[in-house]
Amino acid sequence: MTWRRCASSWCPAQRPGGGPAGPKELSAAVDLALTAGAERPPQGIRQADWDRVLDARRQEATLTLEELCHLGPVLDPAQVLLTIDAVLTRTPQAHQFGEIRTARLMTAGGTRCLSGTGEAFLQTLRVLTLLSVGPGCSLLLLADGARWIRAFFHSMAASVTSTTMIVDWWHARQKCAELGSRICRAHLAKDRFLRQVQRRLWRGDVDGACVFVEAYRPQARNLEKLDELLGYLRARREFLPNYRQRYTLRQYIGSGHTEKLNDLLVARRQKGQGRHWSQETSDALAALRTLLLNDGWARYWEHREVLPLLAS
């Protein structure tokens, strides 16, 4: 299956965001508030969402009300967005799992998908990324901040002039919630603890979050997990931005499209109850899905042509 290592090609970009969320009455209230120039959000709208809409209205006065209903993250024409993740699959051996790594490169003009295992995946991804990031372009890497992903980012930073990595907000919250359940003694205490930690992280105050967690030590029921949370935050300090500011400016902070990619490439076929796979079979199945998502299925099976890494 060596052909799959080059199974990538640009797919047309899709418009970010969907239709307006919530009932028609809520959408009508938003339209009315925008028309009236209201500074405070209508009832049922979060302040952060309202700030994002108002910022877009100030910057792009030519947007129609309907276009504002589809606001989502905006990728700069000179920016390349790379998302990386890993999916575990069950093997025939009890309590053992295989790992399929996935990646998606996005530009203003299109996307590419990639899957694979181990160092071979990273080598292919490195080449694909360097080919995608042209002169004057910047690279934004969005991931969960795993050690192997951070190592990959630092290797890319040596080759690409402008690089930024962000731990996506969902994974940051999930990690805090997972460890908070082990740190706190009761459900209400956990809710208060997470609210204070996540509030600080949302505005990019990582040092403040660490100070709060450290001060919680006398109340913690599991000091080992508290130290693990502190280690998690400190190791990723440079990758935890001001999420609120980025959200307002319609910049990427989430991993929704990453999780969807994992679902399409691996989970739907391989994560069902009672399903077990060898590493080779799991890798091959993901390769076929990668080929399909990159619009290369017919090209390969009908013409036996391998999709090039560099889009033509």
Side-chain angles (χ1 to χ4, degrees):
M1 304 292 285
T2 56
W3 54 267
R4 61 80 112 214
R5 298 303 172 195
C6 293
S8 302
S9 184
W10 290 114
C11 297
Q14 297 181 355
R15 182 182 185 180
K24 292 182 178 179
E25 293 79 7
L26 187 58
S27 296
V30 171
D31 292 347
L32 182 62
L34 282 170
T35 303
E39 289 294 326
R40 298 184 62 83
Q43 185 176 1
I45 299 295
R46 293 186 305 168
Q47 184 65 48
D49 292 327
W50 188 245
D51 290 342
R52 182 166 55 115
V53 172
L54 291 181
D55 182 73
R57 169 60 81 181
R58 295 187 189 103
Q59 293 185 22
E60 303 179 52
T62 57
L63 284 178
T64 66
L65 291 179
E66 175 160 354
E67 287 174 324
L68 284 170
C69 291
H70 293 270
L71 282 178
V74 176
L75 195 63
D76 189 274
Q79 187 178 52
V80 175
L81 173 65
L82 172 61
T83 58
I84 311 177
D85 206 354
V87 188
L88 298 181
T89 58
R90 291 186 179 275
T91 65
Q93 292 75 32
H95 309 296
Q96 294 188 22
F97 297 86
E99 181 186 75
I100 299 296
R101 294 175 174 179
T102 64
R104 183 179 184 182
L105 271 164
M106 298 175 58
T107 70
T111 65
R112 298 184 180 193
C113 303
L114 191 69
S115 67
T117 59
E119 187 60 30
F121 167 82
L122 294 178
Q123 290 176 357
T124 306
L125 180 59
R126 187 174 293 109
V127 173
L128 181 59
T129 304
L130 291 174
L131 289 173
S132 302
V133 182
C137 290
S138 62
L139 174 66
L140 171 63
L141 194 158
L142 193 62
D144 63 5
R147 184 178 290 118
W148 66 271
I149 296 178
R150 283 181 280 151
F152 174 81
F153 169 75
H154 288 305
S155 72
M156 290 303 305
S159 304
V160 179
T161 303
S162 178
T163 58
T164 304
M165 176 175 164
I166 291 175
V167 174
D168 70 81
W169 177 239
W170 187 88
H171 279 102
R173 287 189 60 196
Q174 187 74 5
K175 190 65 174 181
C176 291
E178 174 190 327
L179 295 175
S181 298
R182 306 287 297 277
I183 293 170
C184 302
R185 298 180 181 276
H187 182 72
L188 290 178
K190 184 196 75 171
D191 288 345
R192 289 193 293 268
F193 176 82
L194 291 179
R195 187 160 52 247
Q196 292 297 324
V197 173
Q198 292 175 1
R199 183 179 299 168
R200 288 166 170 79
L201 291 181
W202 178 244
R203 60 175 185 258
D205 185 11
V206 183
D207 290 336
C210 290
V211 169
F212 175 81
V213 174
E214 183 63 46
Y216 198 82
R217 187 175 294 273
Q219 308 172 54
R221 70 183 177 96
N222 190 326
L223 294 179
E224 182 181 347
K225 293 301 176 182
L226 185 142
D227 289 333
E228 184 178 341
L229 178 57
L230 284 172
Y232 173 86
L233 295 176
R234 288 167 178 166
R236 294 159 180 79
R237 183 193 307 270
E238 63 177 308
F239 307 126
L240 296 169
N242 187 328
Y243 293 98
R244 189 185 191 282
Q245 183 183 58
R246 292 185 62 86
Y247 184 82
T248 300
L249 297 176
R250 293 185 294 153
Q251 297 174 343
Y252 280 94
I253 63 169
S255 63
H257 54 287
T258 308
E259 299 302 320
K260 186 61 177 180
L261 179 65
N262 291 342
D263 182 44
L264 293 174
L265 288 181
V266 183
R268 287 189 182 182
R269 181 65 179 91
Q270 302 186 39
K271 300 278 277 190
Q273 185 176 3
R275 296 178 184 176
H276 300 81
W277 312 92
S278 68
Q279 186 68 49
E280 293 77 13
T281 303
S282 177
D283 190 22
L285 286 172
L288 293 177
R289 293 294 302 172
T290 303
L291 187 69
L292 183 63
L293 289 183
N294 285 325
D295 292 338
W297 185 269
R299 179 172 179 172
Y300 177 79
W301 292 109
E302 293 178 8
H303 307 291
R304 294 297 187 269
E305 294 180 359
V306 178
L307 290 172
L309 281 173
L310 185 61
S312 57

